[in-house]
Short mmCIF file of all heavy atoms in Angstrom, two decimals:
data_model
loop_
_atom_site.label_atom_id
_atom_site.label_comp_id
_atom_site.label_asym_id
_atom_site.label_seq_id
_atom_site.Cartn_x
_atom_site.Cartn_y
_atom_site.Cartn_z
N GLY A 1 0.88 -1.20 -0.01
CA GLY A 1 -0.01 -0.03 0.04
C GLY A 1 0.91 1.21 0.00
O GLY A 1 2.04 1.18 -0.15
N SER A 2 0.24 2.37 0.20
CA SER A 2 0.94 3.67 0.15
C SER A 2 0.82 4.25 1.63
O SER A 2 -0.25 4.34 2.21
CB SER A 2 0.17 4.60 -0.76
OG SER A 2 0.28 4.17 -2.03
N VAL A 3 2.09 4.52 2.09
CA VAL A 3 2.15 5.05 3.57
C VAL A 3 3.03 6.23 3.55
O VAL A 3 3.86 6.59 2.54
CB VAL A 3 2.51 3.95 4.45
CG1 VAL A 3 1.57 2.94 4.58
CG2 VAL A 3 4.00 3.60 4.10
N GLN A 4 2.96 7.03 4.62
CA GLN A 4 3.79 8.15 4.78
C GLN A 4 5.24 7.70 5.46
O GLN A 4 5.24 6.64 6.16
CB GLN A 4 3.31 9.21 5.67
CG GLN A 4 2.11 9.90 4.92
CD GLN A 4 1.58 11.08 5.73
OE1 GLN A 4 1.69 11.09 6.99
NE2 GLN A 4 0.88 11.94 5.08
N ALA A 5 6.23 8.40 5.25
CA ALA A 5 7.58 8.03 5.89
C ALA A 5 7.37 7.96 7.38
O ALA A 5 6.69 8.78 8.00
CB ALA A 5 8.55 9.14 5.45
N GLY A 6 7.95 7.02 7.95
CA GLY A 6 7.83 6.67 9.40
C GLY A 6 6.79 5.65 9.77
O GLY A 6 6.81 5.25 10.90
N ALA A 7 5.94 5.39 8.77
CA ALA A 7 4.97 4.44 9.12
C ALA A 7 5.44 2.98 9.15
O ALA A 7 6.49 2.68 8.66
CB ALA A 7 3.76 4.66 8.10
N SER A 8 4.53 2.17 9.45
CA SER A 8 4.73 0.71 9.33
C SER A 8 3.84 0.01 8.43
O SER A 8 2.64 0.42 8.18
CB SER A 8 4.54 0.08 10.84
OG SER A 8 5.50 0.61 11.64
N LEU A 9 4.19 -1.06 7.91
CA LEU A 9 3.40 -1.87 7.03
C LEU A 9 3.90 -3.28 7.14
O LEU A 9 5.10 -3.61 7.36
CB LEU A 9 3.62 -1.35 5.62
CG LEU A 9 2.56 -1.84 4.52
CD1 LEU A 9 1.15 -1.20 4.95
CD2 LEU A 9 2.93 -1.21 3.09
N ARG A 10 2.94 -4.28 7.10
CA ARG A 10 3.26 -5.66 6.97
C ARG A 10 2.79 -6.29 5.67
O ARG A 10 1.65 -6.27 5.44
CB ARG A 10 2.79 -6.43 8.23
CG ARG A 10 3.28 -7.85 8.18
CD ARG A 10 2.73 -8.64 9.40
NE ARG A 10 1.43 -9.07 9.27
CZ ARG A 10 0.85 -9.95 10.09
NH1 ARG A 10 1.44 -10.63 11.04
NH2 ARG A 10 -0.51 -10.28 9.88
N VAL A 11 3.67 -6.83 4.92
CA VAL A 11 3.33 -7.52 3.78
C VAL A 11 3.32 -9.04 4.06
O VAL A 11 4.22 -9.51 4.81
CB VAL A 11 4.33 -7.28 2.47
CG1 VAL A 11 4.03 -5.79 2.05
CG2 VAL A 11 5.70 -7.40 2.91
N SER A 12 2.47 -9.85 3.40
CA SER A 12 2.29 -11.13 3.63
C SER A 12 2.53 -11.96 2.30
O SER A 12 2.35 -11.43 1.22
CB SER A 12 0.98 -11.49 4.12
OG SER A 12 0.77 -10.87 5.37
N CYS A 13 2.97 -13.25 2.51
CA CYS A 13 3.21 -14.17 1.37
C CYS A 13 2.52 -15.40 1.65
O CYS A 13 3.06 -16.16 2.57
CB CYS A 13 4.68 -14.25 1.05
SG CYS A 13 5.12 -15.57 -0.20
N ALA A 14 1.40 -15.70 1.00
CA ALA A 14 0.77 -17.01 1.31
C ALA A 14 1.22 -18.08 0.34
O ALA A 14 1.30 -17.68 -0.91
CB ALA A 14 -0.78 -16.78 1.08
N ALA A 15 1.50 -19.20 0.81
CA ALA A 15 2.20 -20.22 -0.01
C ALA A 15 1.11 -21.42 -0.13
O ALA A 15 0.56 -21.69 0.91
CB ALA A 15 3.37 -20.69 0.63
N SER A 16 0.97 -21.93 -1.30
CA SER A 16 0.28 -23.14 -1.48
C SER A 16 1.26 -24.33 -1.65
O SER A 16 2.41 -24.16 -2.03
CB SER A 16 -0.66 -23.14 -2.69
OG SER A 16 0.13 -22.88 -3.88
N GLY A 17 0.81 -25.45 -1.35
CA GLY A 17 1.73 -26.54 -1.26
C GLY A 17 2.09 -27.08 0.09
O GLY A 17 2.54 -26.26 0.86
N ARG A 18 2.03 -28.35 0.34
CA ARG A 18 2.23 -28.86 1.63
C ARG A 18 3.71 -28.81 2.00
O ARG A 18 4.10 -29.05 3.20
CB ARG A 18 1.73 -30.30 1.85
CG ARG A 18 2.39 -31.26 0.83
CD ARG A 18 1.55 -32.53 0.76
NE ARG A 18 1.18 -33.10 2.18
CZ ARG A 18 0.29 -34.00 2.46
NH1 ARG A 18 -0.37 -34.49 1.43
NH2 ARG A 18 -0.01 -34.41 3.68
N THR A 19 4.63 -28.58 1.11
CA THR A 19 6.07 -28.60 1.41
C THR A 19 6.67 -27.33 1.73
O THR A 19 7.88 -27.16 1.79
CB THR A 19 6.80 -29.19 0.26
OG1 THR A 19 6.66 -28.28 -0.93
CG2 THR A 19 6.33 -30.60 -0.17
N PHE A 20 5.83 -26.15 1.89
CA PHE A 20 6.38 -24.88 2.13
C PHE A 20 7.27 -24.88 3.36
O PHE A 20 8.22 -24.14 3.36
CB PHE A 20 5.15 -23.89 2.27
CG PHE A 20 5.67 -22.46 2.61
CD1 PHE A 20 6.52 -21.80 1.81
CD2 PHE A 20 5.37 -21.97 3.97
CE1 PHE A 20 6.94 -20.56 2.03
CE2 PHE A 20 5.87 -20.68 4.17
CZ PHE A 20 6.54 -19.97 3.39
N SER A 21 6.84 -25.62 4.37
CA SER A 21 7.61 -25.67 5.68
C SER A 21 9.01 -26.26 5.45
O SER A 21 9.82 -26.12 6.30
CB SER A 21 6.75 -26.55 6.59
OG SER A 21 6.73 -27.80 6.28
N SER A 22 9.28 -26.91 4.29
CA SER A 22 10.52 -27.37 4.11
C SER A 22 11.44 -26.42 3.23
O SER A 22 12.67 -26.73 2.98
CB SER A 22 10.52 -28.68 3.19
OG SER A 22 9.81 -29.66 3.94
N HIS A 23 10.92 -25.34 3.03
CA HIS A 23 11.59 -24.24 2.14
C HIS A 23 12.17 -23.11 2.97
O HIS A 23 11.45 -22.61 3.89
CB HIS A 23 10.63 -23.76 1.04
CG HIS A 23 10.29 -24.68 -0.09
ND1 HIS A 23 9.59 -25.81 0.16
CD2 HIS A 23 10.51 -24.70 -1.33
CE1 HIS A 23 9.39 -26.44 -0.97
NE2 HIS A 23 10.10 -25.82 -1.89
N ALA A 24 13.36 -22.71 2.59
CA ALA A 24 13.76 -21.36 3.09
C ALA A 24 13.02 -20.45 2.28
O ALA A 24 12.55 -20.63 1.15
CB ALA A 24 15.21 -21.23 2.77
N ALA A 25 12.85 -19.20 2.82
CA ALA A 25 11.98 -18.26 2.16
C ALA A 25 12.69 -16.76 2.21
O ALA A 25 13.53 -16.62 3.18
CB ALA A 25 10.58 -18.17 2.65
N GLY A 26 12.33 -15.90 1.37
CA GLY A 26 12.95 -14.55 1.32
C GLY A 26 12.03 -13.55 0.81
O GLY A 26 10.97 -13.79 0.23
N TRP A 27 12.57 -12.39 1.10
CA TRP A 27 11.92 -11.10 0.34
C TRP A 27 12.89 -10.39 -0.45
O TRP A 27 14.06 -10.21 -0.13
CB TRP A 27 11.30 -10.21 1.50
CG TRP A 27 10.06 -10.72 2.07
CD1 TRP A 27 10.02 -11.41 3.27
CD2 TRP A 27 8.67 -10.52 1.58
NE1 TRP A 27 8.69 -11.71 3.49
CE2 TRP A 27 7.90 -11.24 2.47
CE3 TRP A 27 8.21 -9.93 0.42
CZ2 TRP A 27 6.54 -11.29 2.39
CZ3 TRP A 27 6.88 -9.92 0.29
CH2 TRP A 27 6.03 -10.68 1.18
N PHE A 28 12.52 -10.00 -1.62
CA PHE A 28 13.28 -9.13 -2.45
C PHE A 28 12.37 -7.89 -2.86
O PHE A 28 11.26 -7.84 -2.70
CB PHE A 28 13.72 -9.80 -3.71
CG PHE A 28 14.81 -10.87 -3.60
CD1 PHE A 28 14.37 -12.07 -2.92
CD2 PHE A 28 16.05 -10.61 -3.99
CE1 PHE A 28 15.38 -13.08 -2.76
CE2 PHE A 28 17.09 -11.55 -3.82
CZ PHE A 28 16.73 -12.77 -3.21
#
């Protein structure tokens, strides 16, 4: 979303597939 400097935001990544718990994950 759009926020002002100093604000907070949480982005989420929903995974499908039962093997997600076996994966390392990251953000770019």
Side-chain angles (χ1 to χ4, degrees):
S2 297
V3 299
Q4 294 184 335
S8 295
L9 198 64
R10 187 176 75 166
V11 290
S12 300
C13 176
S16 64
R18 64 194 309 168
T19 63
F20 177 67
S21 62
S22 298
H23 289 68
W27 287 94
F28 288 73

